[in-house]
Amino acid sequence: MRLRLRLLLGLLVLAPVGALAIIGFWVARSEEARSAGEVRALLERKLEDLAVMLDGVAAELEGELTAATERLPNDVEAIRGVVRKHPRLQRLVLLDPTGHVVFPPADAAATSDDEQRLVRDNGYLWESGGPLAGAGARGEDGAAITRGWLPAADRDGLGLLFWRRTPSGRLAIVSLPRTVVQTALVSRLPVTVPDRATGDERIALFDPGGRLVYQWGAYSPPPGSKPLVALWLRPPFEPWRLAYLGPAPARVHATIGIAGGLAALALAVVGAGLWIYRESTRELRLAAERVSFVNQVSHELKTPLTNVRMYAELLDEQVEDPLARQRLSVVVAESQRLGRLINNILSFSRAEKGALTTQPAPACVDNVVRSVLEQFAPGFDASGVTARLDAGAPRRVRVDADALAQILGNLLSNVEKYAPGGGVVVRTAAAPPVTRITVEDEGPGIPPRDRERVFEPFVRLVAPKHEGVPGTGIGLSIARDLARRHGGDLRILDSERGARFELILVTEEAA
Amino acid sequence: MSAAVLSLSILVGTLTTFGPPSGLGPDIRLSAAMEPPVPSEDARRAVRLRFTIAVTGVRTFARRPPADVCLAIDRSSRVPAAVLAAVREGALAGFRRLRVGDSVSVVAYDDVVQVAVPATRVSDWSTIQAGVDVVHSGARGTAVSAAIVKCRAETSKRFDSARLRHIVVVSSEAADVDPAAASALGSLGAQLRGERVPISVIAMGRPRADDPFAELARQGDGRLAFASSGTDVRRLLEEELVHASSEIIARDAELHVHGAPGVRIVRVTGRAAEVTGADVVTTMSRLEAGARHELIVDLASSAAGRSRRALGDVYVTFFDPYGERIYHRAQIMFVDDDDAAPRRATTQARAQTTTPIRGRRPAATAAAVRTLPRVEDIASRISNDPLGGLGDSVGH
């Protein structure tokens, strides 16, 4: 009973706590996802700011190259002189308004290998159908687009190509190798200053080939770390990528908060559960106290009862009058019943204390059964119960005869109370080292659903026809406890009619 | 070598407004030598020309523009702590040799770049020393190219083109962070050479084939040294910083070699150079006392049967140490003499130093160069008066 109650109360505590835990962690995860999203947005904004800053590099390069190509001379050698002096114009292609390449000159003997390669690799741009052919493209407003950027491959990777149409109609194209672009970008990015923490972060720049070309920040990512956020730069640097590496966002805090809240809630629920448990077990405790009281009283009653029974039996031997003997037999029977009741109370008390034991000793099971049946004979006569013994365990075995008598007494007592007017058959069978005893009556029987419950202390099945039948509800509980102490068990078997108990005892053969 | 060598001396002092009296200053000597031809399919038509620009003499007049020097230190875990300590010592020793008005910066790098000392005047010694002292061993990576880029930024803070800029890289043996390839580092060096920022490299370890730092120094117009110990590093670094801040006789020098018609440039070695058709141009960001730069040009001539023919001409231009005003030029002509005994070619030349051309922009000086006679003109005169006419034709 207590176990079930405890399980029920545990369930009552665990179920809401578990449900709240699930909800809490779901909320926590949602919160963490939201927080991670906010962190991600924050980091993206940080990278966006850097990207905006790097836009200035494009503007700066564009301004520088526009100025450098503003007044290019017409003479090839003069152009070469300008190119030689201007670091940014090292790879220049100049076309006249008709689309012919003016510089580098067409004469292979007057051009370097790099210049020839530059014209060869990028000729598609200004040749027929190319993006820079003819008058060029126009913007949405219809105005001619006079400058722009294009990606351009070079030996070191993917660089940039700046083009512009001069007011005189010439087309100037300047190729910037990847190294130059990288230098311009890295120059603008922050450095790691040793005596000033740059935050627990690491930001890296990857070139169009995916190679790490620059990074800064105090955070040292473990090998194989993946960026929390990555951002492609904006045109004309779109093949370049910024990546943010850092420790994972602080999701632990939300979980800890939720876990703390749940722990507090669990404590509250457990406290409430304990209070409910305490209240609900009050009756049990009171019953236990009553049992304890009865136990003490029983001890006090046992000695005088024994005397009453002994003197009644002695008197029965001396009295001749049949009516007197009948009355004495009632005294003996009632004193025996009272004795069983007292034994049950005392056994229950010992079982509660874990002190219930059995003391096997050589005895004949059939004799014990027969003796118990004889004790019940007056009662059975009064109740109209016909008892029969099918004896099958005549050998002496090691058995606690008192325990066996107490078990049988409880079973037969129930027959006397609940199956009057019927028959009861007791069968014994020895199959060393086990002795099997069945008690089968012709009473109303026990429904299958209650066959375990009736072995719980203080459980009495409620039936209208049995109202007023005296009993404590501990007899079957004591009987099963004793059987188990004896290495066996007591259970209810299916039967066509009435109740059928099977008692199994481990009974070693007596030496 | 069977070549006759003609040297051209330019007395800087006579042409500058700040130099010592004429004849007392160092000489910038341009030597041109014809060497035995390199093996080729047509050895008779191949010739190797070796050009040397050397600054001789000792300059007693201490003066130069202020310099912005940046030191990039590899602080990766590949560098032993003792070597890193030697680098710090060498850096401080070298910085002490700089002058008031100079500025230094220190960039330390592993897988990230730290500016240990932002561009700081050498007079602010405590800042420099404190910055250098915090350079300690870091992670395993070596972001050398990013460090160079940041050094470039530090040396550009003054926005003054008259100041000298120089980057010195002290690196472990190999760099594993972009750019890993020698060509990429070379491209970066070439870019900075174009911006007149020479890069010198002190690499720890031994030279190896396709060493990325060799290419970086070559393209970056700097010097390259290999150190095998901390003591070496300290010494070499101090020397390099002293060199970076030493007196310069000229800056932004350019050596132009122009092949005559029918002459093909086969190969250029010795220095990074731009080859355009039959033109070869190499640049030297600075010429200081004791400097010596060599350019080797292998030519193949299709012209045959002439007794004397022009192979080409060469001229050198440079600016005074302050990068403005003074512009110099000289010109030498080579004549291959087929009449001589087998493989006894001679080189003859006439040279003429010109009146300084004053201008504030390179474009102006480039325009002035164009007024020089081209070798085709010279060759035509040679046919009539091989030696006599040349001197008259140059310098107008």
Side-chain angles (χ1 to χ4, degrees):
Chain A
M1 177 65 181
R2 285 189 177 182
L3 179 62
R4 291 188 62 180
L5 184 61
R6 285 171 182 167
L7 286 173
L8 181 63
L9 287 173
L11 192 64
L12 287 173
V13 172
L14 290 177
V17 171
L20 286 171
I22 292 171
I23 295 170
F25 280 104
W26 179 79
V27 171
R29 291 186 66 173
S30 301
E31 178 65 20
E32 285 165 8
R34 189 186 62 80
S35 175
E38 287 180 355
V39 170
R40 183 181 177 82
L42 195 66
L43 298 181
E44 283 176 342
R45 276 200 297 276
K46 190 181 185 77
L47 295 187
E48 285 279 359
D49 290 344
L50 288 167
V52 169
M53 184 181 73
L54 293 178
D55 287 347
V57 175
E60 192 175 280
L61 285 172
E62 192 170 321
E64 188 180 347
L65 292 172
T66 300
T69 54
E70 188 68 33
R71 289 191 176 81
L72 285 172
N74 294 319
D75 178 68
V76 169
E77 285 306 310
I79 295 174
R80 190 174 295 288
V82 173
V83 166
R84 193 166 288 146
K85 298 297 180 188
H86 200 298
R88 296 277 190 239
L89 295 183
Q90 299 298 309
R91 295 159 66 85
L92 168 73
V93 177
L94 185 64
L95 288 82
D96 66 17
T98 65
H100 290 100
V101 177
V102 175
F103 186 88
D107 181 9
T111 56
S112 68
D113 292 345
D114 278 347
E115 289 173 336
Q116 292 173 30
R117 189 181 306 112
L118 178 65
V119 173
R120 189 172 59 244
D121 291 349
N122 296 293
Y124 73 95
L125 294 174
W126 55 81
E127 289 168 358
S128 178
L132 302 180
R138 293 187 174 275
E140 292 179 356
D141 57 355
I145 300 174
T146 59
R147 70 185 69 182
W149 294 92
L150 291 169
D154 65 58
R155 284 178 303 179
D156 297 332
L158 194 63
L160 280 177
L161 194 144
F162 173 75
W163 65 272
R164 72 168 298 235
R165 292 183 188 282
T166 64
S168 61
R170 293 193 296 180
L171 177 64
I173 300 170
V174 180
S175 172
L176 299 179
R178 184 192 67 91
T179 314
V180 173
V181 177
Q182 177 179 321
T183 301
L185 291 174
V186 172
S187 295
R188 189 65 68 95
L189 291 172
V191 294
T192 306
V193 182
D195 59 351
R196 189 177 66 214
T198 50
D200 196 14
E201 64 183 14
R202 174 71 59 88
I203 300 177
L205 175 69
F206 293 88
D207 74 0
R211 289 173 299 185
L212 172 67
V213 296
Y214 185 62
Q215 54 184 335
W216 73 94
Y219 177 67
S220 293
S225 321
K226 291 185 177 177
L228 297 176
V229 174
L231 180 74
W232 296 102
L233 297 186
R234 296 189 285 200
F237 306 121
E238 62 268 38
W240 297 71
R241 188 164 53 103
L242 284 169
Y244 184 99
L245 295 102
R251 53 181 295 179
V252 176
H253 302 307
T255 307
I256 288 176
I258 294 294
L262 281 173
L265 184 63
L267 281 175
V269 174
V270 166
L274 286 175
W275 182 80
I276 293 171
Y277 177 77
R278 182 182 174 81
E279 289 301 306
S280 64
T281 56
R282 180 191 297 272
E283 289 185 8
L284 290 178
R285 282 187 285 109
L286 290 175
E289 288 169 3
R290 280 197 295 271
V291 168
S292 177
F293 172 73
V294 172
N295 180 44
Q296 292 177 13
V297 172
S298 299
H299 270 292
E300 297 300 320
L301 289 176
K302 193 172 183 180
T303 302
L305 180 61
T306 304
N307 290 334
V308 168
R309 182 180 167 187
M310 182 185 70
Y311 285 111
E313 288 172 349
L314 289 173
L315 193 58
D316 181 56
E317 293 173 358
Q318 296 171 355
V319 172
E320 298 285 334
D321 181 31
L323 182 59
R325 292 193 62 166
Q326 186 180 4
R327 289 173 178 166
L328 276 175
S329 68
V330 173
V331 171
V332 170
E334 288 304 309
S335 63
Q336 287 175 338
R337 197 163 72 90
L338 188 57
R340 287 196 299 274
L341 181 61
I342 289 172
N343 282 339
N344 277 346
I345 291 171
L346 294 177
S347 295
F348 181 79
S349 177
R350 283 197 289 272
E352 286 290 289
K353 296 175 182 174
L356 185 64
T357 58
T358 56
Q359 303 291 331
C364 173
V365 171
D366 282 349
N367 290 342
V368 174
V369 174
R370 198 172 285 115
S371 170
V372 174
L373 283 174
E374 287 175 358
Q375 290 176 18
F376 273 85
F380 281 170
D381 287 344
S383 303
V385 174
T386 305
R388 192 182 86 216
L389 170 63
D390 288 347
R395 296 175 63 87
R396 288 173 63 82
V397 294
R398 293 182 60 77
V399 64
D400 187 332
D402 291 339
L404 174 57
Q406 189 173 355
I407 295 169
L408 287 173
N410 282 317
L411 296 178
L412 295 176
S413 173
N414 285 340
V415 173
E416 184 181 2
K417 286 187 286 188
Y418 299 112
V424 59
V425 179
V426 180
R427 295 184 180 88
T428 62
V434 169
T435 299
R436 197 178 302 268
I437 303 168
T438 59
V439 176
E440 188 173 2
D441 63 35
E442 295 174 349
I446 300 172
R449 66 175 181 278
D450 294 324
R451 286 179 183 175
E452 282 301 312
R453 206 162 67 86
V454 294
F455 290 107
E456 294 176 5
F458 307 112
V459 171
R460 300 182 67 203
L461 298 183
V462 177
K465 63 185 293 186
H466 297 143
E467 281 187 9
V469 175
T472 59
I474 62 174
L476 288 176
S477 173
I478 292 296
R480 173 173 269 186
D481 277 353
L482 287 170
R484 289 180 174 175
R485 297 283 174 187
H486 215 292
D489 202 358
L490 176 65
R491 57 184 178 172
I492 300 172
L493 302 179
D494 292 336
S495 73
E496 294 179 357
R497 181 183 177 194
R500 185 182 177 200
F501 287 83
E502 181 185 58
L503 172 64
I504 298 171
L505 299 175
V506 174
T507 52
E508 302 288 344
E509 273 203 68
Chain B
M1 178 187 291
S2 61
V5 178
L6 184 68
S7 65
L8 170 66
S9 298
I10 302 169
L11 301 181
V12 176
T14 61
L15 302 175
T16 59
T17 57
F18 62 88
S22 176
L24 296 181
D27 291 340
I28 297 175
R29 178 178 291 263
L30 169 62
S31 302
M34 183 175 290
E35 296 186 351
V38 293
S40 69
E41 294 177 358
D42 185 0
R44 281 188 59 78
R45 295 180 181 176
V47 65
R48 166 167 284 185
L49 300 178
R50 181 186 296 270
F51 302 96
T52 304
I53 289 183
V55 179
T56 61
V58 178
R59 185 173 179 83
T60 57
F61 192 77
R63 193 174 178 191
R64 63 156 171 78
D68 298 318
V69 180
C70 180
L71 174 61
I73 300 175
D74 183 346
R75 69 179 194 105
S76 70
S77 58
R78 300 158 186 250
V79 182
V83 173
L84 199 55
V87 171
R88 291 194 297 267
E89 290 174 10
L92 292 174
F95 291 158
R96 284 194 188 94
R97 308 280 288 272
L98 300 179
R99 301 177 189 170
V100 175
D102 292 342
S103 81
V104 299
S105 51
V106 178
V107 167
Y109 64 95
D110 46 11
D111 55 355
V112 296
V113 178
Q114 295 183 338
V115 178
V117 180
T120 305
R121 291 171 69 94
V122 291
S123 55
D124 188 0
W125 184 251
S126 60
T127 300
I128 294 170
Q129 188 162 27
V132 171
D133 285 344
V134 300
V135 177
H136 291 291
S137 186
R140 182 168 172 76
T142 49
V144 60
S145 65
I148 293 170
V149 170
K150 291 303 180 185
C151 260
R152 167 185 175 271
E154 290 300 319
T155 59
S156 305
K157 283 183 173 176
R158 304 278 180 177
F159 298 107
D160 183 354
S161 61
R163 294 177 72 94
L164 300 175
R165 299 163 66 191
H166 198 96
I167 295 174
V168 180
V169 178
V170 180
S171 173
S172 56
E173 199 162 357
D176 64 347
V177 175
D178 178 80
S183 65
L185 265 182
S187 297
L188 180 58
Q191 180 191 347
L192 295 182
R193 185 184 73 231
E195 297 173 6
R196 307 293 189 264
V197 187
I199 304 175
S200 296
V201 181
I202 299 170
M204 297 167 214
R206 294 181 173 181
R208 55 191 173 95
D210 298 328
D211 195 306
F213 296 119
E215 186 65 9
L216 174 64
R218 192 177 80 86
Q219 294 285 357
D221 193 23
R223 307 200 303 180
L224 173 67
F226 287 91
S228 57
S229 66
T231 309
D232 266 2
V233 171
R234 188 192 188 287
R235 176 179 56 79
L236 290 170
L237 178 56
E238 185 176 356
E239 285 177 6
E240 187 56 37
L241 290 172
V242 169
H243 166 260
S245 61
S246 64
E247 293 301 323
I248 62 169
I249 307 306
R251 61 192 298 184
D252 301 340
E254 290 184 357
L255 177 65
H256 296 244
V257 178
H258 179 70
V263 168
R264 182 168 57 90
I265 308 296
V266 177
R267 186 184 302 113
V268 176
T269 52
R271 289 187 57 78
E274 175 192 342
V275 180
T276 307
D279 284 306
V280 179
V281 179
T282 186
T283 60
M284 290 143 283
S285 59
R286 52 188 291 153
L287 294 175
E288 67 282 346
R292 181 183 176 86
H293 301 281
E294 276 194 342
L295 179 72
I296 300 166
V297 180
D298 292 338
L299 302 173
S301 171
S302 60
R306 292 178 55 184
S307 59
R308 299 172 70 80
R309 62 178 181 273
L311 289 178
D313 66 343
V314 57
Y315 59 92
V316 60
T317 66
F318 51 88
F319 292 84
D320 82 339
Y322 288 87
E324 292 187 87
R325 296 183 177 279
I326 310 300
Y327 172 75
H328 305 274
R329 75 175 187 210
Q331 191 169 40
I332 301 174
M333 177 180 169
F334 299 94
V335 179
D336 187 5
D337 186 355
D338 269 354
D339 294 338
R343 310 313 320 140
R344 184 177 168 277
T346 59
T347 302
Q348 299 183 27
R350 283 290 183 271
Q352 176 74 45
T353 57
T354 67
T355 303
I357 300 171
R358 297 173 182 273
R360 301 187 67 86
R361 293 288 181 272
T365 58
V369 171
R370 289 204 311 276
T371 64
L372 289 171
R374 303 296 305 181
V375 71
E376 293 87 345
D377 302 330
I378 298 169
S380 65
R381 293 166 188 247
I382 290 172
S383 60
N384 298 322
D385 183 8
L387 298 176
L390 182 62
D392 296 335
S393 68
V394 179
H396 296 294

